[in-house]
Amino acid sequence: VLETINHNFSLKLLIGEIPAGILYIIQTWFAVITFVTMIILIVRRIVKRKQLQSKIEAYVILILIALLMISFIGTMIGRLIFESGINWIRTFLPISSMIANHLDLYEAADLYKLSFGVHFCCISIFFVIIPLGKHLHILMAFPSLMYQYRAYDKDKQPILGVQTPDIRAYEQALDQAITNDVPEKDWPIIGAEKINDLPRTMLLNALACTQCQ
């Protein structure tokens, strides 16, 4: 985001050349591993499409993630040429360095701009399609975990904050209501009747569920 505002911005201005270089190395290898993983998953879904029964949304997500990773690698190749102070990381990025050796300054700048644009376009598309599909758990899993298990009892067991309902007391109250000809709309209720009766953790878990097939 900062680079879109000021194209001269560099991470090394914030944390220094050595930490920035180390972070670039970690990010690039993570991107390579993730890209290869996405290709394997795409091929697997194509080969086993009858067993997996994947929807088009799954392919779109995998392709977008692959584009995110390859576009990041493209920006890093550009950095190796026109960003000073990080030439030492070439030793740890042999493939990127090999590609960078075949580019001049102008080609590197064009590659960087193209990769940067593709990267941000993919991120923008993600923020549109994720809330509309099952992959909302990508955004909702973290706050869901934060709201869970906020306290522990003396035996170090998590306190969930919801007690098991007294079924016998409910049955007695319901029988009493029927005996007294209480209108059905005023009968006692056990559990949740409306979505607003559900605890926040349960609502977050529903949105963050990773078992959605």
Side-chain angles (χ1 to χ4, degrees):
V1 174
L2 293 175
E3 288 188 43
T4 59
I5 299 174
N6 181 6
H7 67 279
N8 292 320
F9 174 81
S10 174
L11 190 61
K12 65 183 182 181
L13 298 176
L14 292 179
I15 61 177
E17 292 183 359
I18 301 299
I22 294 174
L23 184 59
Y24 287 152
I25 294 171
I26 295 173
Q27 288 177 320
T28 304
W29 278 109
F30 177 81
V32 170
I33 294 172
T34 305
F35 176 75
V36 173
T37 302
M38 293 303 104
I39 298 302
I40 293 174
L41 290 177
I42 291 172
V43 173
R44 176 174 175 269
R45 287 180 179 271
I46 294 175
V47 173
K48 296 186 176 183
R49 57 183 179 275
K50 291 184 178 180
Q51 296 94 322
L52 298 177
Q53 298 181 349
S54 300
K55 296 182 180 179
I56 188 64
E57 179 190 358
Y59 291 102
V60 172
I61 294 294
L62 292 175
I63 291 173
L64 282 175
I65 295 175
L67 285 175
L68 276 172
M69 298 302 107
I70 199 67
S71 60
F72 177 84
I73 296 172
T75 61
M76 187 54 58
I77 294 173
R79 288 182 189 278
L80 291 176
I81 297 177
F82 63 78
E83 186 170 327
S84 61
I86 61 170
N87 286 331
W88 62 273
I89 72 173
R90 285 174 174 261
T91 305
F92 303 94
L93 303 175
I95 299 176
S96 299
S97 298
M98 182 178 63
I99 298 174
N101 291 334
H102 292 82
L103 301 176
D104 58 29
L105 185 61
Y106 296 103
E107 291 172 337
D110 290 339
L111 175 62
Y112 179 85
K113 292 176 183 178
L114 175 62
S115 300
F116 197 83
V118 171
H119 198 75
F120 261 78
C121 283
C122 290
I123 293 175
S124 300
I125 295 173
F126 257 122
F127 280 108
V128 173
I129 66 175
I130 285 178
L132 301 178
K134 72 175 187 178
H135 294 88
L136 187 62
H137 66 263
I138 297 174
L139 300 177
M140 300 306 299
F142 181 73
S144 177
L145 290 174
M146 286 296 294
Y147 275 108
Q148 287 184 345
Y149 308 144
R150 302 303 293 272
Y152 296 85
D153 59 22
K154 61 181 180 179
D155 297 323
K156 304 300 182 180
Q157 295 298 316
I159 299 174
L160 301 181
V162 178
Q163 300 295 327
T164 302
D166 189 342
I167 303 297
R168 185 176 298 277
Y170 165 75
E171 291 176 345
Q172 292 176 352
L174 180 60
D175 291 339
Q176 186 70 25
I178 295 175
T179 302
N180 296 334
D181 294 327
V182 175
E184 185 175 350
K185 63 182 182 65
D186 296 326
W187 285 1
I189 299 171
I190 187 171
E193 181 185 27
K194 305 181 294 295
I195 192 170
N196 291 335
D197 297 332
L198 297 174
R200 183 178 298 177
T201 51
M202 188 174 292
L203 295 176
L204 286 174
N205 287 335
L207 292 174
C209 177
T210 58
Q211 302 300 322
C212 45
Q213 293 293 336

